[in-house]
Amino acid sequence: MFGHRTQEAVRRLENGADRAELELPGVTAAVIDATFEVERGEIFVVMGLSGSGKSTLLRTLNGLLPATAGRVLVDEADLTTMTAAQIRELRQRRMSMVFQHFALFPHRTVAENVEYGLRVQGVDRSHRRTRAAEALHLVGLTGWEDRLPAQLSGGMQQRVGLARALAADTEVLLMDEAFSALDPLIRKEMQDQLLLLQARLGKTIVFITHDLNEAMRLGDRIAMMRDGRIVQVGTAQQILTAPADDYVSNFIRDVDRARVLTAGAAMAYPHTTITPSVEPAGALDIMRRGGEAVLFAVDGAGRLEGTVTEAAAQAAADQGVTDVRGIIERSVQQVGAATLAGELFEAAATSDFPIAVVGESRKLLGVVTRESLLRALAPPPQAATESTGRDIPEVSANA
Ligand SMILES: Nc1ncnc2c1ncn2[C@@H]1O[C@H](COP(=O)(O)OP(=O)(O)O)[C@@H](O)[C@H]1O
Ligand SMILES: [Mg+2]
């Protein structure tokens, strides 16, 4: 398996390589506690306020900054024990970087900029040309090879930066606020393009941003960074539903939860499912005890058959029918677990019954009710601490 592991990777601000120096007066550690692993083929986002240590962390990952303490592993190789030449080699062959301000050579053409890394690697001219053309094609810049960067818009310049990284054909891309300088619309386009490219190329990407919406759109997983420490690592769903502390809670307050949370995160679990062989009277009994107007019927393997309503069960019981098989309503609203919560509003508003969330071969995973949907969409008032009820302010009686 491939991974970076940094343990207390620390920015070296003074000479000496001892963790004890971090405690010295006048020394600021930019990154002090950051342990995580990046899986092959994922987009791993590092997210935090300006000054939280994101860039320092990224530069430690590719050896541009030495760590005072801790390790950085690429596969099993420890970057912190490599010679300068080995690190250079690693940077050229295995990791490319995309910068916020594009970092293009102004007097070189688009093609020359894209080829630059290959030239440093000693790739011959005709191969360079071919690979640059391929990379420019990937980012939609075919035909712009001979222009100068200044003749391109900001979005296009960043495509050149991306093409340069892609041309190097490294398995790892490190992107430091790569889209932060772009206008919102262009930025969204670039995010879409990155996701498309990633679906095709399957790179391992460490993407830095201070924008949580961007983090949630792009990241398979997100590391939340605060004052040099990683305070939480998780998927967007995990971070939205269980923020580790108030810092994370504050961030997620601004997120459009309906566009991030899925049916899987918004569902409740139907504690009462029945099988088709249940008697109508038995179904009625379960409904009344559970206070439910509808039950979900599943087969022996947990696959959704449909719903049984109270009215239908009552009528069947009155007629002396032996089981609910014949009264199962099969046209049930059902969605996959990955459906965005925002797409459930209409169904939840217009139907009196919960929406079934189904997995492979119609296995019933849970149900989305109006209540569970609203609960998921309301941001947590506090960090994920155990609710004691004591946080609720007392209602004052004097009006
Ligand atoms: N060369 C430097 N010398 C001293 N302090 C630095 C230097 N570079 C960064 N810092 C400090 O380290 C902290 C983290 O910086 P940085 O990694 O650039 O954060 P971010 O990328 O999250 O904005 C900040 O407090 C910053 O002021
Ligand atoms: Mg930065």
Side-chain angles (χ1 to χ4, degrees), residues 33-368:
D33 193 358
T35 302
F36 60 93
E37 225 167 283
V38 180
E39 304 290 333
R40 191 190 292 276
E42 81 172 330
I43 301 184
F44 187 88
V45 172
V46 180
M47 148 88 206
L49 292 177
S50 175
S52 57
K54 306 181 296 296
S55 294
T56 305
L57 178 63
L58 201 70
R59 287 178 155 74
T60 312
L61 289 186
N62 73 357
L64 276 175
L65 287 176
T68 316
R71 296 190 301 162
V72 178
L73 301 180
V74 180
D75 286 338
E76 291 313 313
D78 186 354
L79 210 133
T80 51
T81 62
M82 287 183 189
T83 64
Q86 286 172 320
I87 290 177
R88 220 166 24 244
E89 168 89 8
L90 181 96
R91 233 175 3 243
Q92 284 174 13
R93 312 249 166 225
R94 304 197 56 188
M95 300 177 169
S96 320
M97 185 114 171
V98 184
F99 302 90
Q100 175 172 3
H101 296 291
F102 322 144
L104 302 177
F105 296 106
H107 302 299
R108 294 182 199 249
T109 65
V110 165
E112 285 165 353
N113 266 285
V114 173
E115 286 175 32
Y116 181 78
L118 300 175
R119 198 148 104 178
V120 174
Q121 280 183 31
V123 176
D124 70 61
R125 192 186 155 81
S126 75
H127 277 98
R128 288 200 318 253
R129 274 284 126 110
T130 315
R131 275 164 69 178
E134 282 168 6
L136 284 166
H137 177 70
L138 279 174
V139 301
L141 280 183
T142 301
W144 294 83
E145 291 83 355
D146 299 326
R147 305 294 183 93
L148 291 174
Q151 295 175 289
L152 275 60
S153 70
M156 292 167 87
Q157 290 186 45
Q158 191 53 301
R159 282 173 208 268
V160 177
L162 189 53
R164 180 177 52 194
L166 293 175
D169 201 22
T170 57
E171 46 193 306
V172 180
L173 288 184
L174 304 177
M175 304 181 71
D176 192 355
E177 305 260 10
F179 303 153
S180 297
L182 304 174
D183 296 336
L185 218 62
I186 307 292
R187 186 168 183 172
K188 168 110 186 347
E189 269 175 39
M190 291 297 286
Q191 293 166 355
D192 289 340
Q193 180 156 38
L194 183 67
L195 289 171
L196 276 174
L197 281 171
Q198 175 64 357
R200 245 175 99 176
L201 304 175
K203 301 278 184 189
T204 301
I205 301 177
V206 180
F207 189 101
I208 287 194
T209 182
H210 62 263
D211 175 347
L212 190 57
N213 280 304
E214 180 166 81
M216 301 226 158
R217 280 201 78 203
L218 295 180
D220 292 307
R221 287 185 306 145
I222 301 164
M224 302 293 294
M225 202 163 175
R226 171 190 201 173
D227 300 338
R229 293 169 204 274
I230 288 185
V231 294
Q232 186 169 15
V233 178
T235 62
Q237 310 277 327
Q238 288 167 343
I239 287 171
L240 276 187
T241 49
D245 62 16
D246 285 348
Y247 174 80
V248 180
S249 295
N250 267 328
F251 264 118
I252 65 177
R253 215 153 273 163
D254 296 332
V255 169
D256 185 351
R257 300 168 72 84
R259 286 166 183 261
V260 179
L261 285 179
T262 59
M267 71 189 180
Y269 299 92
H271 48 283
T272 41
T273 54
I274 52 170
T275 59
S277 58
V278 166
E279 286 177 25
L284 275 175
D285 192 40
I286 293 171
M287 283 184 217
R288 284 172 191 159
R289 269 189 284 134
E292 298 181 63
V294 67
L295 290 178
F296 283 81
V298 295
D299 68 11
R303 288 187 293 252
L304 178 66
E305 297 257 349
T307 52
V308 173
T309 63
E310 187 172 2
Q314 186 64 64
D318 292 347
Q319 288 162 26
V321 176
T322 55
D323 61 48
V324 298
R325 199 173 307 273
I327 58 165
I328 294 175
E329 173 57 63
R330 294 184 189 269
S331 63
V332 181
Q333 299 214 63
Q334 50 190 288
V335 297
T339 308
L340 289 178
E343 291 167 28
L344 303 175
F345 290 157
E346 204 186 325
T350 53
S351 166
D352 287 333
F353 301 130
I355 304 159
V357 183
V358 294
E360 247 172 75
S361 45
R362 300 225 312 156
K363 233 178 141 107
L364 182 65
L365 303 175
V367 298
V368 173

